[in-house]
Amino acid sequence: MTDSPAPPTDPVVDIRGITVDFPGVRALSGVDFQLFPGEVHALMGENGAGKSTLIKALTGVHRPTAGEIRLHGERVEFTAPVQAQNAGISTVYQEVNLCPNLSVAENILLGREPRRLGAIDTRACRARAARLLERIGLSIDPGSGLDSHPIAVQQLVAIARALAVDARVLVLDEPTSSLDTDEVAELFRIVRQLRDEGVAILFVSHFLEQVYEIADRMTVLRNGALVGEYLPSRTDRLELVSVMLGRELGVLEEVERRSEDRAPGTEPVLTAHGLGRSGSIAPFDLEIHAGEVVGLAGLLGSGRTEMARLLFGADRADTGTLSVGGRTVRPRGPRSMIARGVALCSEDRKAEGLIADLTVRDNLILALQAARGWMRPVSRRAADALVAEYIDKLDIRPADPGAVMSTLSGGNQQKVLLARWLVTQPDLLILDEPTRGIDVGAKAQIQKVVADLAADGMAVLFISAELEEVVRVSDRVVVLRDRHKTAELTGDAISVDDVMGAIAAHDGQGTAVAS
Amino acid sequence: MTRHPLFWPVAALVGLIVLNAVVNPSFLEVRIQNGALYGGVVDILRNGAPTLLIAVGMTLVIATRGIDLSVGAVAAIAGAIACSWIAAGGDAPTAMLLALAVCVLLGLWNGFLVSVVGIQPIIATLVLMTAGRGGAMLVTEGQIITVDDPVYRQIGAGFVVLPIAILISLGVLLAVAALTRGTALGMLVESVGTNPRASRLAGVRSRRIVWTVYVFAGLCAGVAGLMISSNVNAADANNAGLWIEMDAILAVVIGGTSLAGGRYSLTGTLVGALVIQTLTTTVYSIGVPPDAILVFKAVVVIAVCLLQSPRTSELFRPRRRAEPADTRAQEVAAP
Ligand SMILES: Nc1ncnc2c1ncn2[C@@H]1O[C@H](COP(=O)(O)OP(=O)(O)OP(=O)(O)O)[C@@H](O)[C@H]1O
Ligand SMILES: [Mg+2]
């Protein structure tokens, strides 16, 4: 299968026959993997294929049961990630693992702060952090608290942290999952620069476009086993996807866009009038009808998530009115909006989604159970039936309701969180980056689920940094820029270019109508 | 088997009991007298009842990521109020109800500070931990109040085959287990403790849940305080329930509930409380010098916690060394 000639140098990282076992699961079995200096090597595979596990085995988070890892030809057995870091492997893990209550600068330089007379030199610290942030094109205050920033910024901060050391190996596990085109471009510029300096880069992403743009070689894993190595120049996308999935793709056919049989109701499910919150989003008007998918597009920091949070009552509006089902409401927190049939699936799955220590079953029924109240528990049987239904519908793996949430792969956790809201059968479903970290096959699956729900009369507000996706699923696209709603695109032929144009447009106000 | 979270705590318990039996051969004997059981083991149960009861309340508090340092002080207040009332000529049932009502109020106060005001639990309950004993002193006017009331005596020293105190504690433990595991309450508590932000966004009434567990902890502390004072027929504002918050927290931790909140185990707490109480008894029975008692306890507790931690159990896990290159790897590696 392998069709990629290895570069003529010695590999920096040479992994042989590595096997990683978890109680009851073999996550990796006998995988070989080589990473050469001056290459970008993409690690590909479905959700749960074992990509993150391979990375964590390399960096000493997981201990392999068999196999060996060589770094610069020397056999290594890291028992803690910090050892890998000291040995020159800098890693951005899939789940941002920074300290939310520390400042951005502290997070970037944690453990290697510049010191003066033994004490941390805060001024120098901020200055260095500012330079590193500037390098990746991020202009935020290094002294601001990390948790005051959205997940995309946190992801960039994690990358800046990884770049703060002179590493010979840079590992990036889905670094772009919540980034927009511009940030991705900026990141790739740095990645290329490092590659040219001879750094070996391991890159994981479910975006084929990005992989084809940046990768020199690709290794595909499936169900914890090595499938083979491929060159982007010799393997086309369809072929790669079928290798990843292990079957031909029929599922991947594009979701029928704005199906004609969908007839948005006339009565709005939700109406916002001059709704706004200072420092978060400027007052905006919005109507969402039953059976309609409204896309929300904009750049990083344009206020997409902020708008969603206002509509869901997660943040309190300080101006304007909101009505749901024709009745004016004053949201007093998410609970009151959930009771009125509104649901929000957050983009930040680690901080705002998963209950890591509980089972898939408990995670999946959490919102439903919370709405019923503690005295009316969802019976085990009913819960298992629901869980089974969604494990099947969204292809959640492992298909075990009793699995602890933290042991699921990132993409599978995302599916469970999506299911958490689907089972509550809301009237309005707000999805903030619902396909974040989801593999190609499952992404189409989820888009189809969204389309079906809308066809059944659910209103959906769909947020995604991936404009293709927004355009594909939406009947209407609302555009945000600098925390203002600047345009609303309607019509049958909204294209990505239309949306990009509207995002870039400087005149701002007004409604543009495509076609 | 060492994987089971309760393996080491149970092993420690068995070890301590064996140690006691060796030092004092009559330790395991149980006598029947007037239809009630007596003996070393029964004493442990009776003396451990207040700790167990407080630990049950503490388990839920810790599961929500909190901690309640004020339980010892609240126990002292309960005893002080009940004894003062009885000493002033009041009847025992009213005295106990009054004391418990005050404890519920104190629990409401703690819960308010934590869930509404948003003060860190350790600080919020520290307020009452320090002020509470002062309050108890005010109630007793700085005296040790002794009482002699046959009804009041029952709760701490009475027997119905087994000591009434341990029956109450076990009853509460079972009731809490049934209530939290039979309904969705346990799951919601664990959810709030594991990820409060995500829970709120999922519509869980986190504030109410957190508030409630502090009230419950206060109530448990109150009943425990009545047991303690009833057992000695006196209210001692200074010493009643001293350090009991530490014993309760240790019992919870030994039982495998993490101080970081989330999943909790009431069975674990039961085992933990028994370990702590048996340890206390052992310390006296093997004649550890009084100065060294706390150190000795600390060593045992640390040992149990270390053995339980996942990192240490990693060390015990047999590690298969990898064959340098198995055949498969070589096949693939061959060009
Ligand atoms: N700590 C753990 N305990 C048990 N099973 C685990 C653990 N970590 C991972 N697994 C299992 O190992 C398999 C591989 O997971 P991994 O996170 O490596 O997938 P991935 O390829 O990174 O997927 P994704 O694209 O969704 O991030 C999954 O089936 C997962 O459930
Ligand atoms: Mg992963």
Side-chain angles (χ1 to χ4, degrees), chain B residues 202-213:
Chain B
V204 179
R205 291 182 194 271
S206 356
R207 182 177 290 179
R208 191 179 291 189
I209 287 177
V210 171
W211 201 336
T212 310
V213 297

PDB file of all heavy atoms in Angstrom, chain B residues 202-213:
ATOM      1  N   ALA B 202     -26.569  23.126  30.623  1.00  0.00           N
ATOM      2  CA  ALA B 202     -27.475  22.030  30.274  1.00  0.00           C
ATOM      3  C   ALA B 202     -28.791  22.170  31.022  1.00  0.00           C
ATOM      4  O   ALA B 202     -29.673  21.328  30.886  1.00  0.00           O
ATOM      5  CB  ALA B 202     -26.822  20.686  30.584  1.00  0.00           C
ATOM      6  N   GLY B 203     -28.917  23.233  31.820  1.00  0.00           N
ATOM      7  CA  GLY B 203     -30.184  23.485  32.492  1.00  0.00           C
ATOM      8  C   GLY B 203     -30.285  22.902  33.891  1.00  0.00           C
ATOM      9  O   GLY B 203     -31.351  22.877  34.481  1.00  0.00           O
ATOM     10  N   VAL B 204     -29.159  22.425  34.433  1.00  0.00           N
ATOM     11  CA  VAL B 204     -29.189  21.883  35.794  1.00  0.00           C
ATOM     12  C   VAL B 204     -29.287  23.042  36.777  1.00  0.00           C
ATOM     13  O   VAL B 204     -28.638  24.067  36.614  1.00  0.00           O
ATOM     14  CB  VAL B 204     -27.901  21.067  36.073  1.00  0.00           C
ATOM     15  CG1 VAL B 204     -27.908  20.516  37.482  1.00  0.00           C
ATOM     16  CG2 VAL B 204     -27.758  19.947  35.058  1.00  0.00           C
ATOM     17  N   ARG B 205     -30.128  22.869  37.792  1.00  0.00           N
ATOM     18  CA  ARG B 205     -30.249  23.922  38.812  1.00  0.00           C
ATOM     19  C   ARG B 205     -29.071  23.813  39.763  1.00  0.00           C
ATOM     20  O   ARG B 205     -29.205  23.389  40.916  1.00  0.00           O
ATOM     21  CB  ARG B 205     -31.510  23.696  39.636  1.00  0.00           C
ATOM     22  CG  ARG B 205     -32.809  23.922  38.916  1.00  0.00           C
ATOM     23  CD  ARG B 205     -33.921  23.690  39.955  1.00  0.00           C
ATOM     24  NE  ARG B 205     -35.216  23.561  39.331  1.00  0.00           N
ATOM     25  CZ  ARG B 205     -36.014  24.594  39.087  1.00  0.00           C
ATOM     26  NH1 ARG B 205     -35.646  25.800  39.401  1.00  0.00           N
ATOM     27  NH2 ARG B 205     -37.179  24.393  38.535  1.00  0.00           N
ATOM     28  N   SER B 206     -27.914  24.233  39.315  1.00  0.00           N
ATOM     29  CA  SER B 206     -26.715  24.011  40.125  1.00  0.00           C
ATOM     30  C   SER B 206     -26.777  24.748  41.444  1.00  0.00           C
ATOM     31  O   SER B 206     -26.397  24.224  42.474  1.00  0.00           O
ATOM     32  CB  SER B 206     -25.449  24.426  39.374  1.00  0.00           C
ATOM     33  OG  SER B 206     -25.717  24.833  38.087  1.00  0.00           O
ATOM     34  N   ARG B 207     -27.267  25.987  41.407  1.00  0.00           N
ATOM     35  CA  ARG B 207     -27.283  26.784  42.622  1.00  0.00           C
ATOM     36  C   ARG B 207     -28.102  26.105  43.703  1.00  0.00           C
ATOM     37  O   ARG B 207     -27.664  25.950  44.836  1.00  0.00           O
ATOM     38  CB  ARG B 207     -27.863  28.160  42.306  1.00  0.00           C
ATOM     39  CG  ARG B 207     -27.877  29.066  43.496  1.00  0.00           C
ATOM     40  CD  ARG B 207     -28.382  30.423  43.130  1.00  0.00           C
ATOM     41  NE  ARG B 207     -27.444  31.156  42.288  1.00  0.00           N
ATOM     42  CZ  ARG B 207     -27.690  32.378  41.824  1.00  0.00           C
ATOM     43  NH1 ARG B 207     -28.836  32.978  42.087  1.00  0.00           N
ATOM     44  NH2 ARG B 207     -26.806  33.007  41.085  1.00  0.00           N
ATOM     45  N   ARG B 208     -29.273  25.655  43.312  1.00  0.00           N
ATOM     46  CA  ARG B 208     -30.146  25.034  44.296  1.00  0.00           C
ATOM     47  C   ARG B 208     -29.529  23.747  44.841  1.00  0.00           C
ATOM     48  O   ARG B 208     -29.596  23.459  46.033  1.00  0.00           O
ATOM     49  CB  ARG B 208     -31.500  24.729  43.639  1.00  0.00           C
ATOM     50  CG  ARG B 208     -32.540  24.339  44.640  1.00  0.00           C
ATOM     51  CD  ARG B 208     -33.863  24.076  43.990  1.00  0.00           C
ATOM     52  NE  ARG B 208     -34.494  25.274  43.446  1.00  0.00           N
ATOM     53  CZ  ARG B 208     -35.739  25.273  42.985  1.00  0.00           C
ATOM     54  NH1 ARG B 208     -36.444  24.162  42.999  1.00  0.00           N
ATOM     55  NH2 ARG B 208     -36.264  26.377  42.508  1.00  0.00           N
ATOM     56  N   ILE B 209     -28.907  22.991  43.954  1.00  0.00           N
ATOM     57  CA  ILE B 209     -28.295  21.727  44.391  1.00  0.00           C
ATOM     58  C   ILE B 209     -27.173  21.996  45.388  1.00  0.00           C
ATOM     59  O   ILE B 209     -27.101  21.383  46.455  1.00  0.00           O
ATOM     60  CB  ILE B 209     -27.770  20.943  43.166  1.00  0.00           C
ATOM     61  CG1 ILE B 209     -28.949  20.371  42.383  1.00  0.00           C
ATOM     62  CG2 ILE B 209     -26.821  19.832  43.589  1.00  0.00           C
ATOM     63  CD1 ILE B 209     -28.575  19.646  41.128  1.00  0.00           C
ATOM     64  N   VAL B 210     -26.320  22.950  45.059  1.00  0.00           N
ATOM     65  CA  VAL B 210     -25.195  23.257  45.945  1.00  0.00           C
ATOM     66  C   VAL B 210     -25.705  23.755  47.294  1.00  0.00           C
ATOM     67  O   VAL B 210     -25.265  23.306  48.353  1.00  0.00           O
ATOM     68  CB  VAL B 210     -24.273  24.300  45.289  1.00  0.00           C
ATOM     69  CG1 VAL B 210     -23.237  24.790  46.283  1.00  0.00           C
ATOM     70  CG2 VAL B 210     -23.590  23.711  44.062  1.00  0.00           C
ATOM     71  N   TRP B 211     -26.667  24.640  47.238  1.00  0.00           N
ATOM     72  CA  TRP B 211     -27.233  25.179  48.466  1.00  0.00           C
ATOM     73  C   TRP B 211     -27.766  24.041  49.349  1.00  0.00           C
ATOM     74  O   TRP B 211     -27.500  23.942  50.544  1.00  0.00           O
ATOM     75  CB  TRP B 211     -28.340  26.191  48.118  1.00  0.00           C
ATOM     76  CG  TRP B 211     -28.641  27.144  49.213  1.00  0.00           C
ATOM     77  CD1 TRP B 211     -28.414  26.955  50.550  1.00  0.00           C
ATOM     78  CD2 TRP B 211     -29.219  28.449  49.084  1.00  0.00           C
ATOM     79  NE1 TRP B 211     -28.811  28.061  51.248  1.00  0.00           N
ATOM     80  CE2 TRP B 211     -29.307  28.982  50.379  1.00  0.00           C
ATOM     81  CE3 TRP B 211     -29.671  29.205  48.011  1.00  0.00           C
ATOM     82  CZ2 TRP B 211     -29.839  30.251  50.629  1.00  0.00           C
ATOM     83  CZ3 TRP B 211     -30.201  30.463  48.255  1.00  0.00           C
ATOM     84  CH2 TRP B 211     -30.284  30.976  49.547  1.00  0.00           C
ATOM     85  N   THR B 212     -28.527  23.152  48.722  1.00  0.00           N
ATOM     86  CA  THR B 212     -29.153  22.058  49.469  1.00  0.00           C
ATOM     87  C   THR B 212     -28.129  21.165  50.173  1.00  0.00           C
ATOM     88  O   THR B 212     -28.338  20.759  51.312  1.00  0.00           O
ATOM     89  CB  THR B 212     -30.013  21.192  48.528  1.00  0.00           C
ATOM     90  OG1 THR B 212     -30.852  22.061  47.785  1.00  0.00           O
ATOM     91  CG2 THR B 212     -30.847  20.201  49.295  1.00  0.00           C
ATOM     92  N   VAL B 213     -27.024  20.869  49.496  1.00  0.00           N
ATOM     93  CA  VAL B 213     -26.087  19.943  50.144  1.00  0.00           C
ATOM     94  C   VAL B 213     -25.455  20.572  51.393  1.00  0.00           C
ATOM     95  O   VAL B 213     -25.169  19.860  52.357  1.00  0.00           O
ATOM     96  CB  VAL B 213     -24.981  19.418  49.191  1.00  0.00           C
ATOM     97  CG1 VAL B 213     -25.589  18.604  48.059  1.00  0.00           C
ATOM     98  CG2 VAL B 213     -24.099  20.517  48.666  1.00  0.00           C
TER      99      VAL B 213
END
